[in-house]
Amino acid sequence: MISNAVTLFRMGLVLPLFYLLATGGPGWTALAFYLGSGLLDIVDGKLARGLGESSAMGAMLDLVADRLLTLAAVAGLLVYGDLGLAAACGAVVLVARCNIVASFGEALAARLVLASSRFEYPKIVLSFAGLGLAMVPLDLVPGTQIALSPISEALIVLAAALTLVTLAGYARQTVRALAG
C-alpha cells in the first residue's frame, strides 16, 4: 500500500529531526524535516482515501507517526534546552496526552470509540505551529521587532491548555463507559 509506505517514510524522519534539534537546536534543516513530515501526513491520508487503501493498520500507523513526530520535536527541543519553562511544561503535556488517550482506549477495549473533541483540530494546529516556530533559527521576524520565541511559547501553552480540556472530555467519556 502506497499510503502506508509514505507513513513509514514519515516515521523515518523523526530520528534525524530529534538528532538535529538535540544537537544543534533550532535550524532550517530541522524545520524542513518537521514541516515535511507534517506535509506527508496530509499526503498519506489523501492517498489512502483516494486509492481506497484506508485500513485499521494504516490508521494505527498514522497515529503512531503523528505521536513520534511530536515526541521527537518536543524531546529534541527539551534536550537542547531551547524552550522556556512554561513551553517546556506545555510540551510535556502534549506528549503525555498521547499516552493517556491510548490508555483510555485500552481501558475501553471495544466498548466505546472516543468521540473527538471540537478542540482537537485547533489543538493540533496550535501545537504544530508552536513547535514549528520554536525550530526557526531566528528570534526576530526580519525587519521587525517581533520576537518569535514568545509567540512560539504562547502557542505551545495554548495547545497544552486545549489538550487538558480535551483530556477532561475523554476522561468523562471513559468513566461513563466503564460505569455503564
Side-chain angles (χ1 to χ4, degrees):
M1 298 174 89
I2 295 170
S3 56
N4 287 351
V6 172
T7 304
L8 291 171
F9 178 77
R10 187 162 64 98
M11 286 177 164
L13 296 177
V14 300
L15 285 176
L17 172 65
F18 170 75
Y19 176 80
L20 288 166
L21 289 171
T23 60
W28 296 116
T29 305
L31 181 61
F33 272 83
Y34 185 69
L35 294 177
S37 184
L39 179 62
L40 288 174
D41 184 22
I42 295 167
V43 169
D44 67 15
K46 288 196 180 291
L47 280 171
R49 287 183 294 281
L51 297 173
E53 295 181 351
S54 296
S55 68
M57 173 66 101
M60 188 264 317
L61 285 174
D62 187 62
L63 284 174
V64 170
D66 292 345
R67 290 177 173 129
L68 287 174
L69 177 63
T70 301
L71 178 62
V74 166
L77 290 166
L78 288 174
V79 167
Y80 189 74
D82 204 53
L83 293 177
L85 180 60
C89 291
V92 169
V93 166
L94 296 175
V95 172
R97 174 229 179 256
C98 300
N99 293 320
I100 294 168
V101 171
S103 297
F104 290 161
E106 286 295 318
L108 293 171
R111 288 189 245 180
L112 173 76
V113 175
L114 293 173
S116 185
S117 167
R118 63 185 164 149
F119 298 113
E120 196 65 41
Y121 289 110
K123 186 251 332 161
I124 291 167
V125 170
L126 290 170
S127 171
F128 196 80
L131 291 170
L133 278 178
M135 293 177 207
V136 174
L138 307 172
D139 189 39
L140 294 177
V141 175
T144 73
Q145 294 297 316
I146 300 171
L148 292 178
S149 54
I151 296 169
S152 167
E153 295 201 6
L155 293 175
I156 292 169
V157 169
L158 284 172
L162 286 180
T163 294
L164 295 174
V165 170
T166 61
L167 279 176
Y170 295 146
R172 276 192 305 276
Q173 290 179 55
T174 302
V175 168
R176 282 187 199 131
L178 292 174

